[in-house]
């Protein structure tokens, strides 16, 4: 029973490395004592989860390479940027169809709204964000509070680009509730909130926010200056 409970929880949370290990134990401790059909069936499950594991590792690698390549020191040309996103979307779509992994689907959504942002199709980017929010809320395997904060930050950005500053402010304030106090994410949230409030000409409120920024434990002297550029 303990083995079945572990398998159930690992499937629910998409812990593929755990599934491969525990199913391998089941294959030899259970399958070999019953019949060849059960033994082979468990073997097929292991092979499937190996595919899922490789697809997830690939999705994560594509995401982090994307982050690194679009940073200050490793910028891509527009043509390279578009090619990388489009090719990643096609690959992740294929992997999601093969595996049904919501973890892979999570990264696919991120690439989708990144591409919409690149194309300046902000309404579509908002749709992708809201779809990702719904995906997070119904899947234990990918849910993290910080990820919801990340989504709300992006909803703030895309609404700002459409001139919907009231909506942008609502989203950025909601995002803050999902970040740990005095964390780097909390600091970046304050910076974005200042940008929105200052654009709305709410100068008294923006003064309070900027004081929070400079009093932030994770603030360094270059972060805000670099962001303003």
């Amino acid at each position: 029973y303990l083995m079945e409970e572990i398998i159930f929880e690992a499937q629910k949370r998409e812990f593929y490395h755990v599934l491969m290990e525990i199913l391998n134990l089941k294959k030899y401790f259970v399958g070999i004592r019953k019949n060849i059909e059960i033994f082979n069936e468990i073997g097929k499950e292991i092979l499937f989860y190996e595919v899922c594991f490789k697809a997830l590792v690939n999705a994560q690698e594509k995401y982090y390479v994307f982050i690194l390549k679009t940073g200050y020191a490793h910028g891509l040309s527009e043509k390279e940027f578009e090619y990388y996103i489009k090719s990643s979307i096609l690959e992740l779509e294929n992997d999601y169809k093969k595996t049904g992994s919501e973890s892979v689907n999570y990264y696919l959504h991120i690439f989708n709204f990144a591409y919409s942002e690149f194309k300046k199709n902000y309404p579509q980017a908002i749709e992708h964000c809201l779809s990702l929010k719904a995906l997070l809320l119904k899947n234990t395997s990918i849910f993290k509070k910080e990820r919801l904060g990340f989504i709300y930050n992006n909803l703030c950005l895309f609404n700002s680009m459409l001139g919907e500053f009231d909506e942008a402010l609502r989203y950025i304030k909601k995002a803050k509730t999902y970040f740990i106090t005095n964390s780097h994410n909390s600091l970046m949230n304050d910076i974005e909130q200042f940008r929105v409030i200052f654009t709305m000409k709410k100068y008294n409120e923006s003064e309070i926010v900027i004081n929070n920024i400079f009093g932030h434990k994770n603030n360094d002297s270059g972060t805000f200056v670099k962001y303003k550029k």
Side-chain angles (χ1 to χ4, degrees):
Y1 290 111
L2 178 59
M3 186 178 289
E4 293 303 321
E5 285 182 20
I6 294 171
I7 291 170
F8 175 77
E9 285 298 322
Q11 287 173 330
K12 185 170 71 172
R13 299 176 186 279
E14 297 189 357
F15 291 166
Y16 298 125
H17 58 296
V18 175
L19 278 167
M20 289 186 290
E21 189 172 337
I22 196 71
L23 284 170
N24 198 49
L25 287 173
K26 183 180 178 180
K27 180 179 177 181
Y28 291 102
F29 282 96
V30 177
I32 205 167
R33 296 178 183 180
K34 292 195 174 182
N35 55 59
I36 189 66
E37 287 79 14
I38 291 176
F39 183 85
N40 287 338
E41 188 62 33
I42 296 171
K44 289 177 183 177
E45 284 187 81
I46 294 169
L47 290 175
F48 172 70
Y49 289 124
E50 283 178 355
V51 172
C52 293
F53 180 72
K54 288 177 181 177
L56 176 54
V57 170
N58 180 57
Q60 290 171 331
E61 184 166 334
K62 285 194 172 298
Y63 171 72
Y64 287 111
V65 167
F66 169 71
I67 295 299
L68 291 169
K69 283 183 176 290
T70 55
Y72 287 102
H74 304 283
L76 296 173
S77 69
E78 283 196 8
K79 187 175 180 180
E80 291 171 328
F81 185 86
E82 182 170 14
Y83 174 78
Y84 186 81
I85 296 181
K86 287 177 73 174
S87 62
S88 295
I89 288 171
L90 289 173
E91 193 169 335
L92 295 187
E93 282 178 340
N94 186 52
D95 284 345
Y96 179 56
K97 285 176 185 176
K98 286 191 299 184
T99 65
S101 169
E102 297 303 347
S103 298
V104 171
N105 197 15
Y106 169 76
Y107 291 105
L108 174 58
H109 272 71
I110 291 176
F111 276 104
N112 275 326
F113 73 67
Y115 185 69
S116 297
E117 180 185 7
F118 171 72
K119 288 295 187 179
K120 296 182 170 54
N121 189 342
Y122 301 115
Q124 187 180 68
I126 289 170
E127 287 180 18
H128 285 306
C129 277
L130 292 174
S131 176
L132 180 54
K133 175 190 167 186
L135 186 72
L136 278 176
L137 291 174
K138 71 178 182 181
N139 287 283
T140 306
S141 60
I142 57 174
F143 179 81
K144 289 181 183 177
K145 287 179 65 177
E146 292 83 359
R147 286 178 170 178
L148 275 177
F150 166 75
I151 290 169
Y152 287 125
N153 270 352
N154 280 280
L155 285 168
C156 167
L157 172 64
F158 302 143
N159 275 278
S160 292
M161 299 305 292
L162 292 171
E164 300 290 343
F165 293 108
D166 287 329
E167 276 292 278
L169 185 57
R170 181 173 72 85
Y171 280 126
I172 200 65
K173 286 183 175 181
K174 193 171 183 66
K176 190 173 180 66
T177 65
Y178 293 96
F179 296 133
I180 298 170
T181 303
N182 289 324
S183 65
H184 177 73
N185 286 334
S186 176
L187 170 61
M188 299 311 294
N189 177 274
D190 282 341
I191 292 172
E192 182 64 15
Q193 187 174 334
F194 169 78
R195 185 188 65 78
V196 173
I197 292 171
F198 191 81
T199 303
M200 297 173 76
K201 298 182 179 179
K202 294 186 176 185
Y203 300 124
N204 290 336
E205 194 174 344
S206 65
E207 185 177 354
I208 294 170
V209 176
I210 201 168
N211 285 334
N212 289 339
I213 292 169
F214 285 112
H216 203 285
K217 289 181 181 179
N218 275 290
N219 183 34
D220 62 48
S221 59
T223 302
F224 185 61
V225 174
K226 183 165 61 178
Y227 188 87
K228 287 204 299 182
K229 292 178 181 177

